[in-house]
Amino acid sequence: MSATLTESLRPTATPELAKRVELSAIDASTRGPVLYFLGSSILWLILGTVFALIASIKMHAPEFLGDSEWLTWGRVRTAHLNAVAFGWSVNASFAVAIWLMARLARAEVRHAGMLTLAAVFWNVGLTIGIFGILAGDSTSIEWLEIPPYATPILFVAYALIGAWALITFRFGRSQHIYVSQWYILGALFWFPSIYSVAQVMLLLEPTRGTVQSLVNWWFAHNFIGLWLTPIGVGAIYYFLPKVLGKPIHSYYLSILGFWSLALFYNWAGVHHLIGGPVPVWVQTAGIAASFMMVVPVLVTAINHHLTMVGSFSALKYSPTLRFIVFGAVNYTLTSLVGSLASMRSFSEVVHFTQHTVAHAHHGLYSFFTMVMFGAVYYIVPRVTLKEWPSVKLISLHFWTVAIGNIAMIGALTIGGIEQGINMNVLPTNPDGTAGEPMAFLNVMAQTLKWLEWRTYSGILITVGHVAFAINFAWMLWQPRKPGITQPALFRNAPDMEVAR
Amino acid sequence: MNRAPLIFLGIFFTVAFSWTGIVLTNHLMYADLQPVFDENEGRAFPQPLPGDALRGKEVYRDLGCMYCHSQQVRHPGFGTDIQRGWGERGSVARDYIHERRVYLGTMRTGPDLRNVGARFAGEGGRNWHIQHFYNPTEVSNVTLSNGRTYGSIMPPYRFLFRTQPIIGEPSPRSVQHLLPAKDQPPVGHEIVLTQRGEDLIAYLLALKDPPLYPEEARRVYVPPAQPDRGEPRPGTAPESTREVLQ
């Protein structure tokens, strides 16, 4: 493209530069809330990791902190789940969603105070909630354990953020709605809808009998499917092409992926109740929907893969890309495993085992959390105008969590399948008849080695999280160095304009 | 072209669709299931839990037992629940209609507890629970073929007990005579079960589903590889279903 005369005379007037100035102003306007949410999310991540380690150790060494009622396994495990799901994941999602919404709508953040207030409400509500869980007020409804006295505070936070997102979307300068925005808008609408329905139908006016379980899993699975997944996939859709400096492969595939996800993920939650005392037709619908999830997953995977093709060498340089690609690949893997595990025959074996735990971490960690790490590495330098102080720490972070995570998922998947076979499959006698099931204590004893593996891998992951937190804190504390123009890369890219 | 309204509509309808299908339809279809009156016994089944067991269920909630224990028996032919003695039949929706909160559970780190009241009953059951809560590895352990002994990984719940000095007469609720030598209290002291512990045990002793209800016996329960025994007589749950369940 040939330059226009004005551009040649005044280099600062290039459209490219003008756009950068605009983006930079937008980034700066998000600074307060984004850093507040990210800072809190990282604090929760560390706390949640500590709870996780305690729970993991207790599971093979039950006398560890055995006399502490506050840290008894059933409570500390629940505190872990809520700290990482609502503390780390949701705070990080808010930060990433806010930043993406502002950038994609090309709108500077108005009313940043509203967002900061939302952040205060969210984190105060959550602190009260998790304290309540440790004190014994958990509801023991999976994914909805936060005691009812803390939830209204969380709702206020949500209302503020939702209102803000609508304002930003409405007053944005961009005419085009990029697919990441679809996902984020969807998520911002879906989460409060399912959360309020679940609160009403389970806690305020509980419906009767096992209908409760249906509400429970409709909510819990959709928290992942309609909140974390759209935020994660939306972020991949933004960062992948952004870092590579080329457009996403296919616009139409991305739309197909969005609508098929919206349609099928919704129904998939019932697969947590296969073989349980709920109507068989709804289990079948859940299985069918879980299976149909192959469509959005493969469509998205193909779209991302074809975008990456030819640029794999960039993985050597860009931390953001490395985390994001790790996450994207695992999104595909975990979803396919999920579809498989929802089949009746497979579910008969692995339901009720550590396989479920592996699968949950595969989705929430290998996919979602890794994508969020990648996003943080991209966003924070842009909103603070500082550079990551230590590339070594980024590298340490990546390798410890990647290896720790793979080890953990591997151990619990294999361990869960072994546990499931021992527990649910009858051995065959020499004469061909079915034998006695393995004694329960033997099933438990055989599973122990895998539970120990989880602790070892968890220690590795903890190291990574500490490295991440140190780097983040160091970055905020260090003074701004005006001279820096180089992004923090693992090594210098030869002639590629890769940003982080 | 401004697609925003269209996107919002789609976002709304997808979630409304699944809510209607999974939640609303089932709520309308079976949230009003009723107990079945059994003329022979002169009572309706399932029976609601008595008060101390209900308080015990609160302890079960508070301590998060459900993250290791399910409360649903799988039907014969699906898993090995029946062979393990976790129940005489698969659980059905009617079993749960009195429960203000349902703990079906999704994990079996420990055994299913839906019918634990049938396995541990009476004074002996209570004593076993006391020993088990105080020190699970003491009562539940196994030696594998590799020669190593593995104790239960259920957490100890010693905080449901209290060690107190004996003032005057020893308390009738003291439990140390059930505990091994290493767990004995210092002289002049006794170990008693707290009220929460009593309630929790009352809950476990009460956990037991009745034999299958006639309607479900017709519709849901298919006896594995057994000759047709004909229609069970309606309205006489225990009699007729005992026959079907044999």
Side-chain angles (χ1 to χ4, degrees):
Chain A
M1 204 173 69
S2 61
T4 62
L5 190 60
T6 30
E7 279 170 13
S8 308
L9 289 175
R10 267 183 51 229
T12 48
T14 57
E16 181 59 20
L17 197 65
K19 201 172 147 216
R20 282 201 176 195
V21 170
E22 184 195 333
L23 280 185
S24 168
I26 293 173
D27 285 347
S29 75
T30 66
R31 182 180 304 139
V34 164
L35 288 182
Y36 195 132
F37 276 116
L38 279 183
S40 337
S41 76
I42 293 172
L43 284 178
W44 284 114
L45 180 68
I46 297 293
L47 193 66
T49 312
V50 172
F51 288 148
L53 261 187
I54 296 177
S56 179
I57 295 172
K58 273 171 171 278
M59 217 163 173
H60 51 81
E63 286 295 333
F64 176 68
L65 302 174
D67 283 325
S68 158
E69 179 166 6
W70 281 55
L71 295 178
T72 188
W73 191 84
R75 289 189 190 173
V76 78
R77 165 252 175 243
T78 307
H80 154 66
L81 184 138
N82 283 278
V84 295
F86 295 96
W88 151 250
S89 301
V90 174
N91 270 309
S93 317
F94 280 148
V96 171
I98 289 167
W99 186 81
L100 281 178
M101 284 296 286
R103 263 213 168 184
L104 287 169
R106 295 190 39 222
E108 279 170 36
V109 168
R110 306 157 186 239
H111 316 298
M114 223 164 125
L115 290 174
T116 312
L117 192 65
V120 173
F121 267 94
W122 185 262
N123 288 295
V124 168
L126 204 59
T127 308
I128 296 176
I130 291 187
F131 192 80
I133 289 171
L134 291 175
D137 289 339
S138 152
T139 65
S140 270
I141 303 175
E142 285 187 75
W143 297 89
L144 288 162
E145 287 98 350
I146 294 185
Y149 50 75
T151 21
I153 316 177
L154 302 180
F155 268 107
V156 175
Y158 236 102
L160 287 169
I161 290 171
W164 173 86
L166 282 182
I167 295 174
T168 307
F169 184 67
R170 182 76 189 69
F171 292 100
R173 278 187 290 271
S174 171
Q175 288 303 306
H176 177 70
I177 309 176
Y178 184 62
V179 63
S180 299
Q181 278 165 296
W182 296 42
Y183 279 108
I184 293 170
L185 286 174
L188 284 173
F189 174 81
W190 284 324
F191 180 74
S193 332
I194 58 174
Y195 199 46
S196 32
V197 169
Q199 290 291 333
V200 171
M201 294 192 75
L202 291 174
L203 293 165
L204 290 178
E205 268 306 315
T207 168
R208 286 177 74 225
T210 59
V211 183
Q212 282 184 14
S213 316
L214 287 167
V215 181
N216 187 179
W217 285 108
W218 173 78
F219 168 78
H221 205 259
N222 282 346
F223 171 69
I224 297 165
L226 299 183
W227 169 255
L228 298 182
T229 303
I231 300 278
V233 173
I236 300 176
Y237 266 114
Y238 182 83
F239 290 109
L240 203 61
K242 192 79 187 168
V243 175
L244 294 177
K246 60 188 190 187
I248 198 81
H249 174 73
S250 159
Y251 176 71
Y252 290 100
L253 281 184
S254 64
I255 292 180
L256 179 63
F258 177 81
W259 288 118
S260 47
L261 177 119
L263 196 61
F264 298 133
Y265 219 135
N266 257 300
W267 280 78
V270 198
H271 65 214
H272 289 268
L273 297 167
I274 294 174
V278 298
V280 177
W281 71 267
V282 72
Q283 299 177 27
T284 309
I287 296 171
S290 310
F291 215 75
M292 290 306 286
M293 273 304 291
V294 170
V295 175
V297 167
L298 284 189
V299 161
T300 307
I302 291 170
N303 211 4
H304 291 163
H305 183 77
L306 291 179
T307 308
M308 268 307 281
V309 162
S311 307
F312 281 101
S313 57
L315 286 176
K316 284 200 224 111
Y317 313 110
S318 159
T320 295
L321 197 64
R322 223 184 252 183
F323 280 100
I324 298 260
V325 168
F326 188 100
V329 169
N330 278 295
Y331 173 58
T332 314
L333 290 179
T334 187
S335 306
L336 295 180
V337 171
S339 298
L340 193 70
S342 69
M343 286 162 61
R344 241 178 257 271
S345 51
F346 203 70
S347 172
E348 177 183 359
V349 177
V350 297
H351 189 40
F352 300 124
T353 71
Q354 294 294 330
H355 182 276
T356 312
V357 183
H359 182 55
H361 286 85
H362 203 178
L364 262 75
Y365 200 99
S366 320
F367 155 52
F368 180 78
T369 294
M370 292 301 262
V371 170
M372 288 299 113
F373 286 149
V376 172
Y377 280 119
Y378 190 92
I379 293 173
V380 179
R382 284 170 173 75
V383 299
T384 57
L385 301 177
K386 297 178 194 173
E387 207 27 82
W388 288 99
S390 163
V391 177
K392 281 214 178 68
L393 281 176
I394 305 181
S395 190
L396 180 70
H397 178 202
F398 180 79
W399 288 110
T400 46
V401 297
I403 295 172
N405 184 245
I406 292 172
M408 175 174 160
I409 309 284
L412 292 183
T413 302
I414 301 171
I417 293 176
E418 186 194 69
Q419 184 189 9
I421 291 177
N422 289 342
M423 185 153 58
N424 295 309
V425 180
L426 294 178
T428 319
N429 289 332
D431 62 358
T433 55
E436 287 291 302
M438 179 187 282
F440 192 87
L441 283 171
N442 290 48
V443 179
M444 182 203 77
Q446 303 241 6
T447 315
L448 273 172
K449 54 186 179 293
W450 305 108
L451 302 179
E452 284 166 13
W453 266 99
R454 167 168 56 195
T455 298
Y456 305 140
S457 59
I459 292 172
L460 209 56
I461 293 176
T462 311
V463 171
H465 290 170
V466 171
F468 176 52
I470 292 177
N471 219 4
F472 182 81
W474 186 357
M475 179 154 183
L476 294 191
W477 259 269
Q478 74 180 351
R480 189 175 296 159
K481 301 194 196 91
I484 290 202
T485 50
Q486 282 285 329
L489 300 174
F490 286 135
R491 55 186 91 167
N492 284 331
D495 54 5
M496 204 171 5
E497 209 257 336
V498 274
R500 262 166 229 105
Chain B
M1 189 174 69
N2 188 359
R3 291 164 194 262
L6 209 66
I7 299 180
F8 271 112
L9 226 61
I11 287 174
F12 172 76
F13 274 115
T14 44
V15 73
F17 179 46
S18 72
W19 178 77
T20 312
I22 298 177
V23 176
L24 184 63
T25 312
N26 285 295
H27 177 76
L28 295 177
M29 271 175 57
Y30 77 95
D32 60 349
L33 270 178
Q34 294 302 321
V36 183
F37 189 75
D38 178 7
E39 283 161 18
N40 290 350
E41 303 231 357
R43 289 188 296 176
F45 290 96
Q47 297 253 295
L49 288 175
D52 51 349
L54 275 181
R55 286 198 307 273
K57 190 176 177 189
E58 283 296 286
V59 183
Y60 190 87
R61 165 192 66 70
D62 149 3
L63 297 176
C65 310
M66 66 85 68
Y67 297 100
C68 282
H69 291 287
S70 61
Q71 281 193 32
Q72 51 172 317
V73 182
R74 288 169 150 193
H75 290 279
F78 196 73
T80 59
D81 295 21
I82 307 285
Q83 287 91 334
R84 290 182 182 281
W86 287 347
E88 297 190 328
R89 59 172 177 87
S91 299
V92 294
R94 203 185 300 272
D95 294 332
Y96 302 85
I97 53 176
H98 291 303
E99 299 183 15
R100 204 174 148 77
R101 195 163 290 164
V102 174
Y103 294 134
L104 289 186
T106 48
M107 237 3 220
R108 284 181 173 173
T109 304
D112 187 88
L113 296 183
R114 190 66 200 166
N115 291 294
V116 69
R119 300 196 286 280
F120 301 97
E123 188 61 23
R126 179 175 179 273
N127 290 349
W128 188 87
H129 285 309
I130 289 173
Q131 294 168 335
H132 188 233
F133 283 149
Y134 204 87
N135 205 340
T137 52
E138 200 71 37
V139 283
S140 297
N141 52 62
V142 61
T143 307
L144 293 191
S145 53
N146 63 8
R148 276 185 61 188
T149 301
Y150 298 85
S152 169
I153 55 170
M154 171 151 151
Y157 290 99
R158 281 185 291 270
F159 50 77
L160 293 176
F161 298 81
R162 198 173 47 236
T163 304
Q164 58 187 29
I166 303 175
I167 303 163
E169 285 292 295
S171 161
R173 289 172 123 188
S174 70
V175 299
Q176 66 270 19
H177 61 283
L178 299 168
L179 303 176
K182 72 176 176 58
D183 291 328
Q184 290 305 313
V187 262
H189 288 66
E190 61 184 354
I191 300 178
V192 292
L193 186 60
T194 57
Q195 189 56 45
R196 289 169 76 215
E198 292 285 2
D199 293 341
L200 182 60
I201 291 179
Y203 177 57
L204 294 174
L205 294 177
L207 271 180
K208 179 175 173 348
D209 282 328
L212 198 58
Y213 322 98
E215 194 178 332
E216 279 82 353
R218 266 199 307 278
R219 286 214 334 263
V220 180
Y221 183 73
V222 187
Q226 288 217 351
D228 185 12
R229 287 167 184 271
E231 289 281 289
R233 277 164 290 145
T236 53
E239 275 286 326
S240 61
T241 49
R242 240 178 256 134
E243 191 191 319
V244 176
L245 279 166
Q246 264 152 20

